[in-house]
Amino acid sequence: MTMMQDEWVEIGGIEDIPRRGARVVKSPVGDVAVFRAMDDRIFALEDRCPHKGGPLSQGIVQGHAVNCPLHNWLISLETGKAQGADEGCARTVPVKMQGSRILLGLSGLISRTA
């Protein structure tokens, strides 16, 4: 990972994540799951389901949501909120693109856990 200006961390290129797939990025406060939707939008969530802590990075991406691999909860990639009757929220991590490079705003995640 390379530190970028404004507290953004470059984690690689969009081509490093398959469509409808994820990549795990280690951070000082835990793993972050970085997802690529079929439409090439990139999202990042704390890699922990709000239900039982399952690894969201191992779930199946459907549109702009991911199914938790443990109990099939559907989590919005945009908001981190559980969908349907389920309740809970995974922390979102700010993402921005610089050309084809993916940058994460990990300082936002760190400040929310302090």
Side-chain angles (χ1 to χ4, degrees):
M1 288 192 285
T2 305
M3 289 302 291
M4 300 297 288
Q5 64 186 22
D6 299 327
E7 308 276 342
W8 291 91
V9 177
E10 181 181 332
I11 60 147
I14 193 169
E15 69 280 355
D16 296 331
I17 304 171
R19 284 189 174 106
R20 298 184 65 203
R23 175 178 172 202
V24 176
V25 175
K26 303 288 184 191
S27 87
V29 294
D31 291 347
V32 175
V34 182
F35 299 92
R36 179 179 177 189
M38 195 65 181
D39 63 4
D40 288 334
R41 287 194 51 201
I42 301 294
F43 302 93
L45 298 174
E46 180 180 34
D47 192 20
R48 193 171 188 288
C49 178
H51 177 222
K52 297 277 186 177
L56 294 175
S57 60
Q58 294 178 23
I60 297 170
V61 175
Q62 299 180 22
H64 292 166
V66 63
N67 279 98
C68 176
L70 294 185
H71 300 100
N72 213 31
W73 277 35
L74 189 63
I75 307 296
S76 168
L77 294 175
E78 296 174 299
T79 65
K81 292 182 181 178
Q83 305 296 289
D86 299 321
E87 293 184 19
C89 191
R91 283 193 204 108
T92 59
V93 177
V95 176
K96 73 177 180 179
M97 298 298 295
Q98 195 169 62
S100 66
R101 308 306 292 169
I102 302 169
L103 290 83
L104 297 182
L106 294 180
S107 61
L109 181 65
I110 292 167
S111 67
R112 286 185 286 187
T113 61

